[in-house]
């Protein structure tokens, strides 16, 4: 790890001004991913601005919206009674997303901003990584690739988005409140993350110096059922091979509303709007669930190591839809 300067911010505006004015600067919160990348030499900030003492922690409710401070820890959000009662699939994603030790350190803002878990991105001795340096190629496309993306991927980058929490939040149309040098703005999570395309090094719409200060989560109507299902290589803490977040409202034997997203298979948390359209107004059952899965996993980009994820993604979605609807195949 290279040497760096360290300052502790006492006010959000001060932190934003400091980082905005210095292209070498980065924010430091829980540090559970950032410090690892610094040790590996992938990230090399020359100035760290510690924001952990800023008043950006806590969960509050304003009508049908839950506001989560960006420095709220994963464990704190999972323990919130409104989350347990109205957003069970968010709680499940939090509990499945990290060990207890990490959940007590990792912040919500940091979780949404965590970097790719691609082994090639995290190894600076691998020269071909468009995410580290645009135009160098993607070693994962020709190398061993299993924990990689099939949706939103192409020859430029197949790194998967690692956040479990982002998957149900994307399904709920959550948004992030961002503070920058020019004030605050709100960005829907569905617009926040960027498909790699020709610019894999740009992962979201933040400009240098902007700081996530809160996450606004719309609460679904009372009676909505939800679940987050995650498939991984081992039962203990592990990243998803594939996951699905589903929230569903049933009325009169049909699906009145459905919100669907996939994780572990996309370069971004993957909102399945085609599936939602097929499900809305349909009676729940295996045939409609399979049609929704087929519509979601369309035109995947696969390499030999990721081809299995096409069928896995469909099956995890059908399983989650069946679980939420209480349907047995």
């Amino acid at each position: 790890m290279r040497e760096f300067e360290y300052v502790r911010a006492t006010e959000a505006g001060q932190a934003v001004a400091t980082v905005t004015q210095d292209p070498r600067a980065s924010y430091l919160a829980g540090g559970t991913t950032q410090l690892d990348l610094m040790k590996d030499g992938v990230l090399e900030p020359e100035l760290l601005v510690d924001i952990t003492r800023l008043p950006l922690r806590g969960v509050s409710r304003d009508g049908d919206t839950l506001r989560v401070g960006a420095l709220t820890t994963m464990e704190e959000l999972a323990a919130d009674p409104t989350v347990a009662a109205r957003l069970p699939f968010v709680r499940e994603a939090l509990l499945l997303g990290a060990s207890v030790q990490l959940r007590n350190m990792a912040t919500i803002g940091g979780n949404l901003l965590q970097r790719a878990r691609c082994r090639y991105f995290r190894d600076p001795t691998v020269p071909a990584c468009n995410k580290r340096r645009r135009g160098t190629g993607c070693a994962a496309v020709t190398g061993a690739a299993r924990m990689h993306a099939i949706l939103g991927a192409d020859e430029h980058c197949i790194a998967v988005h690692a956040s479990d929490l982002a998957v149900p939040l994307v399904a709920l149309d959550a948004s992030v409140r961002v503070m920058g040098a020019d004030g605050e703005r709100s960005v829907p999570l569905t617009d926040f993350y960027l498909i790699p395309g020709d610019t894999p090094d740009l992962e979201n719409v933040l400009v240098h110096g902007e700081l996530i200060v809160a996450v606004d989560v719309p609460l679904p109507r009372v009676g909505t059922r939800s679940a987050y299902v995650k498939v991984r290589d081992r039962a203990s803490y592990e990243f998803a091979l594939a996951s699905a977040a589903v929230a569903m409202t049933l009325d009169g034997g049909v699906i009145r509303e459905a919100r669907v997203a996939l994780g572990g298979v996309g370069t971004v948390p993957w909102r399945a709007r085609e599936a939602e359209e097929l499900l809305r107004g349909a009676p729940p059952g295996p045939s409609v669930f399979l049609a929704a899965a087929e519509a979601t996993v369309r035109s995947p980009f696969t390499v030999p190591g990721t081809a299995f994820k096409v069928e896995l993604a469909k099956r995890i979605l059908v399983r989650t839809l069946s679980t939420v609807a209480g349907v047995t195949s």
Side-chain angles (χ1 to χ4, degrees):
M1 181 187 295
R2 67 181 298 173
E3 293 185 355
F4 57 87
E5 295 180 62
Y6 168 89
V7 297
R8 175 174 288 163
T10 57
E11 194 271 329
Q14 170 210 9
V16 168
T18 301
V19 175
T20 299
Q21 293 167 10
D22 191 340
R24 312 167 304 147
S26 294
Y27 296 112
L28 174 67
T32 54
T33 294
Q34 182 180 16
L35 293 178
D36 286 342
L37 291 173
M38 290 173 63
K39 291 174 183 177
D40 290 339
V42 177
L43 299 180
E44 296 183 321
E46 296 182 26
L47 172 64
L48 282 184
V49 178
D50 187 338
I51 60 172
T52 55
R53 302 295 178 87
L54 299 183
L56 302 177
R57 195 165 182 166
V59 183
S60 60
R61 182 174 174 178
D62 182 9
D64 288 330
T65 299
L66 204 65
R67 175 158 294 182
V68 183
L71 294 179
T72 305
T73 67
M74 294 175 67
E75 188 69 12
E76 289 168 340
L77 184 57
D80 183 81
T82 302
V83 171
R86 299 287 298 277
L87 301 168
F89 70 155
V90 171
R91 185 173 189 273
E92 292 164 1
L94 287 162
L95 296 179
L96 291 171
S99 64
V100 176
Q101 294 91 336
L102 284 174
R103 293 200 305 267
N104 278 307
M105 285 291 295
T107 64
I108 298 306
N111 182 278
L112 297 180
L113 289 173
Q114 64 181 295
R115 303 300 301 275
R117 293 286 164 177
C118 176
R119 59 187 289 190
Y120 305 101
F121 167 69
R122 289 172 173 258
D123 185 353
T125 66
V126 175
C129 178
N130 287 321
K131 190 170 287 294
R132 266 190 283 109
R133 193 166 72 254
R134 192 187 306 177
T136 58
C138 178
V141 170
T142 56
R146 187 166 181 271
M147 303 293 293
H148 287 74
I150 59 172
L151 300 176
D154 59 25
E155 68 276 8
H156 298 293
C157 183
I158 61 172
V160 75
H161 193 274
S163 173
D164 287 280
L165 174 62
V167 182
L169 292 187
V170 162
L172 287 166
D173 286 320
S175 58
V176 290
R177 297 188 66 84
V178 177
M179 176 183 288
D182 297 326
E184 287 194 18
R185 62 182 177 127
S186 179
V187 184
L189 270 185
T190 49
D191 298 331
F192 182 75
Y193 297 109
L194 300 175
I195 298 292
D198 295 332
T199 56
D201 52 318
L202 301 179
E203 298 181 349
N204 55 63
V205 300
L206 292 179
V207 299
H208 180 72
E210 285 191 311
L211 174 68
I212 294 178
V213 296
V215 182
D216 290 335
V217 187
L219 295 173
R221 68 181 66 182
V222 175
T224 298
R225 308 177 184 182
S226 69
Y228 181 73
V229 178
K230 177 178 179 178
V231 173
R232 48 191 173 177
D233 282 327
R234 57 186 182 185
S236 59
Y237 167 57
E238 181 60 278
F239 293 97
L241 287 171
S243 66
V246 171
M248 184 185 299
T249 305
L250 298 169
D251 183 29
V254 300
I255 301 167
R256 295 300 179 190
E257 185 177 13
R259 293 177 174 274
V260 182
L262 294 180
V265 294
T267 56
V268 299
W270 199 260
R271 181 71 179 270
R273 296 194 185 276
E274 297 89 349
E276 294 173 353
E277 289 294 327
L278 282 169
L279 293 166
R280 197 171 296 118
S287 60
V288 71
F289 294 163
L290 181 58
E294 294 285 354
T296 299
V297 190
R298 290 185 304 126
S299 303
F301 180 89
T302 64
V303 296
T306 62
F308 77 100
K309 283 195 171 187
V310 175
E311 184 64 22
L312 181 63
K314 295 176 185 178
R315 292 192 181 199
I316 194 70
L317 182 50
V318 170
R319 174 182 164 190
T320 309
L321 288 165
S322 301
T323 299
V324 174
V327 171
T328 56
S329 57

